[in-house]
């Protein structure tokens, strides 16, 4: 395939920083395995996020809390192996960075070293800033995540729009000060997404945070329509793959049952 100039060389931290000039939005999609990561990379997606959303969309759990560091490394390796141009960011899962700064540093280093990813992402702001600063000091690029932080779903009482503007602004500023290179803003009113973006000097990536962030991220399974039971307001389906897969499987079953598969062209003589 051919690629335009914008998508022909690896996307780096410098490109993230450049997005602040506002002339090119950063495009980020979650990825959890090799074949889909390869498609996303070839499509020119700038950043592949190995999100701990894999707990829900891949492992079928109601939230991401059961995801482990081993899970993230397992999926992170597959995605990193597929990415030729895209930057790969791996989420730090629940309880891998909250217990102590030392443990956080050890887990972040392990994730980076064992997956070969370019950066890690963690949730939280003011309370996590010292941990972020330690990681950045150790040479680990950190993406922050504010607003709706899914690992706190129990405390937040569900996956709800977050409206505490002052707290979210303080979180974003603390992350910038600690050295984070970008911030995901999840599920906040559009105006707040814009306020946070204007208040910090690092790029913001929105998911349900309005169009005035420096980039946008979607969960792959939402974008592809892989689960017909889930249709978040902030997402857009670009395909209806659940139906496509079901049809393909039905056709295969029907061909086997009718005897039309395998045909002569599928056999060995
Ligand atoms: O885990 C994830 O997929 C995420 C995105 C929603 C940003 O953190």
């Amino acid at each position: 395939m051919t690629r335009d100039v914008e998508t022909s060389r690896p996307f780096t931290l410098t490109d993230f920083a450049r997005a602040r000039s506002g002339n090119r939005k950063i495009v980020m999609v979650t990825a959890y395995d090799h074949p889909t990561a390869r498609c996303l990379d070839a499509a020119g997606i700038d950043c592949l996020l190995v999100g701990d959303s894999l707990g829900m969309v891949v492992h079928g759990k109601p939230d991401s809390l059961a995801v482990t560091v081993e899970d993230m490394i397992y999926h992170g390796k597959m995605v990193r192996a597929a990415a030729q141009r895209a930057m790969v960011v791996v989420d730090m899962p629940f309880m891998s960075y909250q217990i102590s700064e030392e443990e956080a540093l050890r887990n972040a280093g392990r994730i980076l070293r064992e997956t070969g990813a370019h950066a890690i992402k963690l949730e939280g702001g003011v309370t996590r800033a010292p941990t972020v600063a330690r990681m950045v000091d150790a040479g680990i690029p950190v993406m922050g995540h504010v607003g709706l932080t899914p690992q706190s779903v129990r405390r937040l009482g569900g996956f709800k729009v977050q409206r505490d503007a002052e707290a979210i602004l303080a979180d974003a500023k603390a992350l910038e000060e600690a050295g984070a290179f970008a911030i995901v803003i999840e599920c906040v009113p559009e105006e707040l997404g814009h306020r946070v973006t204007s208040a910090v000097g690092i790029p913001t990536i929105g998911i349900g945070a309005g169009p005035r962030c420096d980039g946008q991220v979607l969960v792959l399974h939402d974008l592809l329509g892989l689960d017909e039971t889930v249709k978040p307001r902030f997402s857009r389906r670009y395909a209806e793959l659940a139906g496509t897969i079901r049809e393909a499987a039905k056709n295969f079953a029907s061909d086997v049952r009718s005897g039309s598969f395998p045909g002569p062209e599928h056999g060995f003589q």
Side-chain angles (χ1 to χ4, degrees):
M1 69 172 286
T2 55
R3 288 177 162 164
D4 61 31
V5 177
E6 274 196 333
T7 60
S8 61
R9 58 172 182 77
F11 197 81
T12 65
L13 286 181
T14 312
D15 295 303
F16 257 93
R18 278 204 197 109
R20 286 304 294 190
S21 59
N23 42 25
R24 186 182 185 282
K25 297 271 188 184
I26 297 164
V27 186
M28 183 158 117
V29 179
T30 66
Y32 316 98
D33 63 44
H34 193 276
T36 50
R38 205 174 44 207
C39 292
L40 296 170
D41 186 70
I45 300 301
D46 299 318
C47 182
L48 304 182
L49 171 65
V50 187
D52 63 349
S53 51
L54 72 86
M56 292 178 275
V57 300
V58 179
H59 299 172
K61 300 270 170 53
D63 54 48
S64 59
L65 302 192
V67 176
T68 64
V69 169
E70 281 67 31
D71 291 332
M72 297 313 302
I73 291 173
Y74 179 75
H75 290 275
K77 277 181 185 172
M78 298 178 204
V79 171
R80 180 62 189 94
Q84 291 182 14
R85 171 189 171 270
M87 187 167 148
V88 176
V89 179
V90 177
D91 255 342
M92 293 201 68
F94 181 56
M95 280 301 141
S96 68
Y97 57 96
Q98 292 91 341
I99 293 167
S100 72
E101 286 177 23
E102 280 65 36
E103 207 169 318
L105 208 53
R106 198 172 300 115
N107 283 326
R110 204 181 143 208
I111 289 173
L112 219 60
R113 190 188 297 128
E114 293 186 31
T115 63
H118 303 99
I120 60 95
K121 176 168 83 59
L122 53 75
E123 298 181 5
V126 172
T127 53
R128 294 296 151 234
T131 304
V132 171
R134 289 278 300 271
M135 290 177 180
V136 172
D137 186 54
I140 300 171
V142 178
M143 179 180 280
H145 185 152
V146 303
L148 172 58
T149 46
Q151 291 173 16
S152 303
V153 62
R154 302 274 161 80
R155 180 173 57 76
L156 298 174
F159 296 99
K160 296 175 179 164
V161 176
Q162 301 300 302
R163 300 177 187 279
D164 187 344
E166 295 318 312
I168 293 168
L169 276 163
D171 281 340
K173 285 180 187 165
L175 286 168
E176 178 182 19
E177 191 135 319
F181 72 88
I183 304 173
V184 167
I185 312 175
E186 179 164 355
C187 280
V188 302
E190 283 190 16
E191 192 47 43
L192 181 53
H194 182 223
R195 263 183 85 187
V196 173
T197 301
S198 308
V200 294
I202 53 177
T204 60
I205 316 291
I207 174 160
R212 286 183 287 180
C213 298
D214 300 301
Q216 297 290 326
V217 55
L218 282 183
V219 170
L220 180 70
H221 292 52
D222 296 342
L223 183 156
L224 296 181
L226 268 165
D227 183 348
E228 290 156 321
T229 67
V230 179
K231 200 168 185 203
R233 178 182 169 85
F234 55 75
S235 198
R236 182 180 286 167
R237 278 194 196 157
Y238 289 86
E240 298 290 347
L241 287 199
T244 305
I245 292 172
R246 208 169 37 239
E247 269 318 293
K250 272 189 194 165
N251 290 339
F252 172 57
S254 148
D255 286 355
V256 170
R257 288 172 190 139
S258 70
S260 76
F261 180 87
E265 71 277 26
H266 302 116
F268 302 99
Q269 310 306 327

